[in-house]
Amino acid sequence: MVRIGAHVDLADAIGAAKTLDADAVQVFLSDPQAWKVPDLPYEGGAEALRADAEAADLDLYVHAPYVINVASTNNRIRIPSRKLLQQIMDGASAIGAKGVVVHGGHVTASDDPAKGFDNWRKAIDALETDVPVLIENTAGGDHSMARRLERIEQLWAAVSKADGGADVGFTLDTCHAWAGGIDLAAAADQIRAITGRIDLVHANDSRDEAGSGADRHTNFGQGLIPQDLLLGVIAAAGAPVICETKGDMAPDIAWLRENLG
């Protein structure tokens, strides 16, 4: 059976999972728009969260802060990004997380994309962690590292050369793929052909049209991704599923369980 869950608040991760009937959850360890990592907002700290998750047979995933952009050619962004990523990886290890989701990042219009890919290689080279980095495809940006298939292929070629590159995984976001112009009917097979793996699915409907570049998640059946297409790509990915939709995600989880079999 596929493990299915949702992104929840860390402070009540176990309670939220019970309410949602989830067997996996994704959390932030810090404010996703900030550069500092505070003390873990869970009673008893990392050890307690790890023990409680194990007792509940709950898989934990961590989403890295959005501010991280290890591809950047700007030292004032890239260096703090690498430092913050290491802190998040350390925190993820402490709670027993299955992986850390990190956006692919971007360079600027004046940059050679090859520099961004190589910066990713250097970032993976420098990481010290026993938790997989799960690079996520992104929805928009002409200079993104992981929006389109050809960029994902270039990124993977670079990351694979890093020390620890063989442990880097992939998160397939259905809304991002749709908005980024990737054909969902073939997305899982095409991405697996590039990366050799899909470790996690972010299952989201999309408010906007295919190819729009807009990162706007919505609940299943309320967006523009045909439901059979959405179910097809999730099933083809064959990986644990995290919903990042809106409001009460229990109906979304129940719908996936009913239809994925």
Side-chain angles (χ1 to χ4, degrees), residues 137 149 172-191 202 204-206 210 224-237:
N137 61 303
L149 291 172
L172 170 59
D173 187 300
T174 58
C175 172
H176 294 179
W178 169 267
I182 296 175
D183 177 10
L184 287 188
D189 288 341
Q190 289 175 325
I191 288 170
H202 281 174
N204 305 299
D205 205 335
S206 174
L224 297 180
I225 303 179
Q227 292 190 336
D228 59 341
L229 193 57
L230 192 55
L231 286 170
V233 67
I234 295 169

Side-chain angles (χ1 to χ4, degrees), residues 150-217:
E150 60 268 24
R151 287 289 177 87
I152 295 172
E153 186 171 9
Q154 291 171 288
L155 173 57
W156 227 257
V159 165
S160 297
K161 297 175 183 176
D163 181 17
D167 297 323
V168 175
F170 192 86
T171 298
L172 170 59
D173 187 300
T174 58
C175 172
H176 294 179
W178 169 267
I182 296 175
D183 177 10
L184 287 188
D189 288 341
Q190 289 175 325
I191 288 170
R192 196 179 288 108
I194 293 168
T195 65
R197 58 198 287 178
I198 297 174
D199 298 77
L200 187 67
V201 174
H202 281 174
N204 305 299
D205 205 335
S206 174
R207 185 198 68 180
D208 297 281
E209 297 282 354
S212 64
D215 183 5
R216 294 293 183 269
H217 303 182

Side-chain angles (χ1 to χ4, degrees), residues 31-111:
D31 181 339
Q33 301 291 355
W35 291 97
K36 292 184 179 180
V37 181
D39 292 337
L40 202 71
Y42 187 86
E43 187 173 355
E47 286 188 14
L49 177 55
R50 183 174 190 146
D52 291 348
E54 288 176 356
D57 189 25
L58 183 68
D59 290 343
L60 299 175
Y61 291 88
V62 169
H63 199 304
Y66 301 138
V67 293
I68 289 176
N69 181 11
V70 299
S72 178
T73 59
N74 184 335
N75 289 344
R76 294 183 179 182
I77 296 173
R78 185 183 66 261
I79 294 172
S81 291
R82 285 170 56 169
K83 180 181 178 181
L84 178 56
L85 179 57
Q86 182 65 65
Q87 290 177 297
I88 295 297
M89 301 306 297
D90 292 344
S93 180
I95 67 171
K98 299 289 186 182
V100 175
V101 178
V102 185
H103 285 180
H106 61 275
V107 294
T108 67
S110 61
D111 290 324

